Amino acid sequence: MCGGADGGGQSAGALGDGERRHAAGQLAYFIEFLHLTGLWSRWQDDCPLRYTSPNAPTTADVLGTWLLAVLAGHKRYAHVTAMRCDGVNPGLLGCRKVISEDALRKALARIPEAAGVAWLDGHLHASVQSLLDAPWILDTDTTIKPLYGQQEGAVVSYNPKKPGRPSHSYHTY
């Protein structure tokens, strides 16, 4: 069953102006950017994943599920199940469906490691290469959040207010 806070499978909220907002509302604009720049089609075309069975998921289904999972902040394959009811964003990417976590795990395991690294490194390099030739300034801001108890990702590091206490370090660029 697909259901969210509004009963339609999406978690929506209302702001003071009466407009409804969706947690992934800006994702449609990012997907449009991927299409208009050709990044999405080049990423699919260069993907070393190949299937011969007509019953296998398409490359768009595999990569679309993977991309949506990463953008949603999922860190485990099991969390892919939470996206299976999204009827909007997969269609914007040109996917027929969001594949299961097992199908995603098996598909990514089929990509040879050397070919997969070359594929991803090539696309990462192409996306930042033009920026390396332009003058720019990187401004950083680091915030330390002290943690109490046992929290995931907590490490003992530099903390001027609570020395020796585990904390999260948030970096903003």
Side-chain angles (χ1 to χ4, degrees), residues 109-130:
R110 287 179 58 101
I111 299 175
E113 184 176 355
V117 168
W119 165 59
L120 292 174
D121 279 350
H123 283 275
L124 178 62
H125 181 72
S127 68
V128 298
Q129 180 60 40
S130 60

Side-chain angles (χ1 to χ4, degrees), residues 72-135:
H74 298 311
K75 296 180 182 178
R76 301 175 56 94
Y77 286 110
H79 297 156
V80 171
T81 303
M83 301 182 331
R84 305 246 3 231
C85 297
D86 186 348
V88 177
N89 293 316
L92 294 176
L93 282 170
C95 302
R96 293 179 302 171
K97 61 182 178 179
V98 173
I99 62 174
S100 71
E101 65 271 14
D102 292 330
L104 179 61
R105 184 183 305 112
K106 290 174 184 176
L108 295 177
R110 287 179 58 101
I111 299 175
E113 184 176 355
V117 168
W119 165 59
L120 292 174
D121 279 350
H123 283 275
L124 178 62
H125 181 72
S127 68
V128 298
Q129 180 60 40
S130 60
L131 298 174
L132 298 177
D133 298 330

Side-chain angles (χ1 to χ4, degrees), residues 85 118 122 145 169:
C85 297
K145 177 186 172 195
S169 179

